[in-house]
Amino acid sequence: MTDRINILIVEDEAILAMDLSDMLEDEGYYVVGTANNGRKALDLFQHNPVDLVLCDITIKGDWDGIETIGQLVSIRQVPVIYLTALTDRSTIARAKETFPAAYITKPFDSSQLRLAIEMALNSFSLRILAPQPPATPVTEAKVRPLTGEKPTPEKDPSRTAPILRINDALFVKQNYQFVKVLLSEVLYLEADDIYTTINTTGRKYVVRLSLSQMIERLQANRLARTHRSFVVNLDRIDSFSDHEVMVGGHSLPLGRNYKDEFLRHFPVC
């Protein structure tokens, strides 16, 4: 699934795993699979596009949840949320070593989980774009984001960030939920005052950011500006001339002030 956030569930209680999967699907997420042990989780992780992992700590097999997460993130970094009934200091200390985005104690409800997922994606996106030492979670709370504070509308960054980037995907906030958009599917960006429209092969997404702010936030070297109102995906260009660029059947202007910089992306052989 390219338009939904792909989540891997690691939970050894079958009924809880099914309920959690149904809850996530109802919220608009896509569950790539459920695993009741670490080795199955590793197999699913290696063979599926996973954007986020929800993991219980007490699971079947020779790895517990914390050891399992260590195996997964050694392959590639993804945001992790622990779902567990364990609140003892030694377990929390071990969990901290894997730098989870949140630590949710059971039982929990869908609103808690939705907020934790949004904050996890936002925190991870910021850490990828501007690496810095991760904050330390607090020890006793129902939901523990990396900030160590209970989120409020003023302090919750996921409520104000309209777009995130994680690796080769964008997460665009639409109707209070992040929608996944692969960078490879983006044709061009178009400015409209304080808004920017992301034009993809199948849909358009409007984000409340100026085009300059969008470029700064995405930091994607395959996006090139051709005009004060347009940025194109270099990998999706069909053709170009001295005055226009064709992208996915759309004719976009190639402005004089941007032409030289645009042409630098096409070195002469």
Side-chain angles (χ1 to χ4, degrees):
M1 300 293 295
T2 59
D3 61 343
R4 290 198 282 174
I5 295 169
N6 299 317
I7 297 178
L8 170 63
I9 299 173
V10 185
E11 168 63 66
D12 69 344
E13 294 188 40
I15 295 178
L16 289 179
M18 290 176 59
D19 288 345
L20 183 56
S21 181
D22 290 342
M23 180 190 301
L24 292 170
E25 294 282 356
D26 289 343
E27 290 289 332
Y29 301 109
Y30 179 72
V31 177
V32 300
T34 60
N36 64 1
N37 64 79
R39 296 192 184 276
K40 182 178 179 181
L42 180 61
D43 182 66
L44 287 170
F45 188 78
Q46 290 176 316
H47 294 93
N48 291 277
V50 176
D51 301 313
L52 182 141
V53 179
L54 300 178
C55 185
D56 191 4
I57 291 179
T58 305
I59 57 175
K60 296 177 180 177
D62 49 351
W63 300 338
D64 70 1
I66 298 172
E67 292 171 303
T68 297
I69 292 302
Q71 294 286 336
L72 303 190
V73 299
S74 69
I75 298 173
R76 65 178 181 276
Q77 292 289 318
V78 293
V80 173
I81 297 175
Y82 286 116
L83 309 174
T84 182
L86 301 177
T87 58
D88 60 280
R89 292 183 180 276
S90 61
T91 299
I92 292 174
R94 288 182 59 226
K96 285 181 183 180
E97 295 176 0
T98 62
F99 303 109
Y103 189 104
I104 305 180
T105 54
K106 299 177 180 179
F108 53 87
D109 58 38
S110 60
S111 62
Q112 287 177 305
L113 186 57
R114 181 176 62 250
L115 176 59
I117 290 173
E118 292 193 8
M119 293 191 70
L121 291 170
N122 189 77
S123 298
F124 187 78
S125 173
L126 295 175
R127 183 154 62 94
I128 290 295
L129 292 178
Q132 54 185 304
T136 302
V138 296
T139 55
E140 306 294 339
K142 198 68 172 174
V143 178
R144 299 173 175 82
L146 280 176
T147 58
E149 299 180 30
K150 184 177 180 180
T152 64
E154 295 77 21
K155 294 183 178 180
D156 178 1
S158 70
R159 298 194 177 195
T160 58
I163 188 168
L164 311 173
R165 180 188 167 194
I166 298 178
N167 300 323
D168 294 325
L170 308 180
F171 292 86
V172 185
K173 199 161 193 179
Q174 304 281 293
N175 298 323
Y176 304 101
Q177 186 180 52
F178 285 107
V179 177
K180 184 181 178 183
V181 180
L182 295 179
L183 268 172
S184 61
E185 294 183 346
V186 175
L187 298 176
Y188 64 93
L189 311 178
E190 183 176 0
D192 182 11
D193 194 22
I194 62 173
Y195 294 90
T196 297
T197 300
I198 303 171
N199 294 273
T200 72
T201 52
R203 290 184 59 183
K204 295 183 178 181
Y205 303 90
V206 178
V207 177
R208 196 177 189 278
L209 283 176
S210 70
L211 189 57
S212 296
Q213 290 173 318
M214 179 76 80
I215 295 171
E216 181 180 359
R217 187 166 185 85
L218 295 185
Q219 298 181 20
N221 57 14
R222 299 305 294 166
L223 297 179
R225 199 157 190 168
T226 63
H227 185 270
R228 61 186 178 86
S229 297
F230 293 95
V231 169
V232 302
N233 183 344
L234 293 169
D235 296 325
R236 302 307 298 266
I237 292 176
D238 300 317
S239 63
F240 64 88
S241 66
D242 286 342
H243 306 291
E244 70 174 359
V245 180
M246 296 297 297
V247 182
H250 302 273
S251 175
L252 307 179
L254 178 56
R256 181 177 57 186
N257 294 335
Y258 301 92
K259 183 177 178 181
D260 289 345
E261 183 62 30
F262 174 77
L263 292 176
R264 289 194 182 96
H265 293 283
F266 303 90
V268 177
C269 297

